[in-house]
Amino acid sequence: MDSKDERSAEDWPLPPSWMWGCTECTVLYKAMKRAPEVVDAARAAGEPGIDYDPMDTVVTTQIRLARHIATDHAQDVPAVDESCDRCVSDIRAKQFPAVLMLEHRARHLFAPPSIAGLI
């Protein structure tokens, strides 16, 4: 058993050290991690029934980080994870643009498996 086996599908991985050496990765990662707290605070302070995340900030911050990694750090994007249904289906389908497949695989670097598999 290795450390990957010990994590649950909900555990956030520790990003690789090279990400901390990139200012844009650091800024985007911090924004992504703060987004749920900001949205939750707005919901708690506001009225019920209002969409306090109309721009889907939580999702878009993850997409922006994944896009940055896919375009500026493509050589550091992990290989296909054979245990990830999305990684495997992307390869079989061969209809997605390469950058979208790289974005998905980049999400494995910073998002839990339960989230990485969604986009």
Side-chain angles (χ1 to χ4, degrees):
M1 182 188 303
D2 63 16
S3 61
K4 184 176 180 181
D5 294 331
E6 295 171 16
R7 289 196 339 240
S8 80
E10 302 301 318
D11 290 340
W12 288 81
L14 183 63
S17 59
W18 60 260
M19 281 180 64
W20 303 116
C22 171
T23 302
E24 191 165 354
C25 280
T26 302
V27 168
L28 292 170
Y29 181 81
K30 287 179 179 179
M32 177 200 70
K33 291 299 279 184
R34 277 194 300 266
E37 294 171 12
V38 170
V39 171
D40 288 345
R43 276 192 193 113
E47 298 176 30
I50 305 292
D51 184 359
Y52 290 98
D53 192 10
M55 304 303 283
D56 293 322
T57 309
V58 173
V59 174
T60 57
T61 56
Q62 293 174 18
I63 292 170
R64 281 196 316 257
L65 177 56
R67 173 59 61 107
H68 166 71
I69 293 170
T71 57
D72 289 15
H73 304 284
Q75 72 280 2
D76 296 313
V77 172
V80 169
D81 180 348
E82 296 294 333
S83 68
C84 173
D85 292 338
R86 175 67 193 269
C87 281
V88 174
S89 69
D90 284 354
I91 290 175
R92 288 188 187 137
K94 295 183 182 176
Q95 60 187 0
F96 296 106
V99 71
L100 293 182
M101 290 189 286
L102 284 172
E103 281 181 26
H104 164 72
R105 292 182 5 229
R107 291 167 64 83
H108 285 287
L109 294 170
F110 61 82
S114 62
I115 292 175
L118 298 175
I119 297 178

